[in-house]
Amino acid sequence: KRTVVLSGLYLFILGFAMIGTLTFIAMYIITIYGYDTLQCGVALLPMGFGMMFTSMGSGMLVNRTGYRIWVILGSAIIVGSLLLLSTLGSDADINVLYAYMFLFGLGLGCTNSTVMVAIQNCTPPSEMGMTTSAVGVMRNIGSTVGTALYSLLISSKMDSLFSDTVYAPV
């Protein structure tokens, strides 16, 4: 079914973006602000709060509005927040980072649950568990691929920057 295939592809990309962004932001917070891992985990909470607000709101309204508006709105918010996050430098205020992460969470909350509702609405009850699980696996695969690629990019960039700072023996 077209909705199931497109939802699987969408959730693959969403998982890729979500985990990749979390990986990058966590390393950014630890490196730039000097936070330890516990402080970093607490600093990531604004994204979770954003997801909580919009997933509750979209969940309550999806029956009246349909799921398409939430997926489009959430995607636009995600893209906008990723563009804003890409502007952060090494001197960015932590509160600006919190605002951008909250915005990213708002976008994720709009899309995650509503895509699952779309899948469940187009699937017969006898296949609902299978299709929901299959699409959930696609999100997990996207998360895994995102973690691997972002970690590769970050570590290769760190290695090249590190080699620039190493002094040659005299």
Side-chain angles (χ1 to χ4, degrees), residues 83-146:
L83 288 173
L84 289 171
L85 283 166
S86 72
T87 64
L88 293 176
S90 60
D91 59 347
D93 182 23
I94 190 73
N95 293 317
V96 172
L97 177 63
Y98 291 158
Y100 293 170
M101 287 190 320
F102 182 77
L103 192 62
F104 184 67
L106 288 176
L108 290 174
C110 286
T111 57
N112 266 329
S113 58
T114 53
V115 169
M116 288 301 197
V117 168
I119 294 165
Q120 291 168 350
N121 285 340
C122 79
T123 306
S126 62
E127 298 175 3
M128 196 174 298
M130 179 183 62
T131 54
T132 304
S133 298
V135 172
V137 166
M138 289 302 294
R139 179 178 41 217
N140 291 343
I141 292 171
S143 298
T144 303
V145 172

Side-chain angles (χ1 to χ4, degrees), residues 16-168:
F16 184 93
M18 182 175 68
I19 294 299
T21 303
L22 271 173
T23 303
F24 174 76
I25 289 175
M27 290 191 70
Y28 179 84
I29 289 170
I30 290 169
T31 305
I32 299 299
Y33 300 109
Y35 285 16
D36 62 24
T37 51
L38 178 62
Q39 292 170 319
C40 179
V42 171
L44 293 172
L45 284 175
M47 188 175 77
F49 291 137
M51 288 175 69
M52 179 181 66
F53 290 134
T54 52
S55 49
M56 286 190 312
S58 65
M60 289 187 284
L61 297 172
V62 74
N63 287 334
R64 283 190 265 159
T65 61
Y67 62 87
R68 284 186 178 96
I69 187 70
W70 294 105
V71 173
I72 293 168
L73 178 65
S75 299
I77 293 171
I78 289 169
V79 169
S81 64
L82 288 175
L83 288 173
L84 289 171
L85 283 166
S86 72
T87 64
L88 293 176
S90 60
D91 59 347
D93 182 23
I94 190 73
N95 293 317
V96 172
L97 177 63
Y98 291 158
Y100 293 170
M101 287 190 320
F102 182 77
L103 192 62
F104 184 67
L106 288 176
L108 290 174
C110 286
T111 57
N112 266 329
S113 58
T114 53
V115 169
M116 288 301 197
V117 168
I119 294 165
Q120 291 168 350
N121 285 340
C122 79
T123 306
S126 62
E127 298 175 3
M128 196 174 298
M130 179 183 62
T131 54
T132 304
S133 298
V135 172
V137 166
M138 289 302 294
R139 179 178 41 217
N140 291 343
I141 292 171
S143 298
T144 303
V145 172
T147 301
L149 286 178
Y150 271 81
S151 297
L152 177 69
L153 290 172
I154 291 168
S155 67
S156 69
K157 188 67 173 172
M158 288 176 73
D159 286 347
S160 67
L161 292 174
F162 180 71
S163 66
D164 292 342
T165 61
V166 174
Y167 296 107

Side-chain angles (χ1 to χ4, degrees), residues 2-19:
R2 184 174 186 261
T3 303
V4 174
V5 171
L6 290 176
S7 297
L9 179 63
Y10 182 80
L11 287 177
F12 176 87
I13 294 168
L14 189 66
F16 184 93
M18 182 175 68
I19 294 299

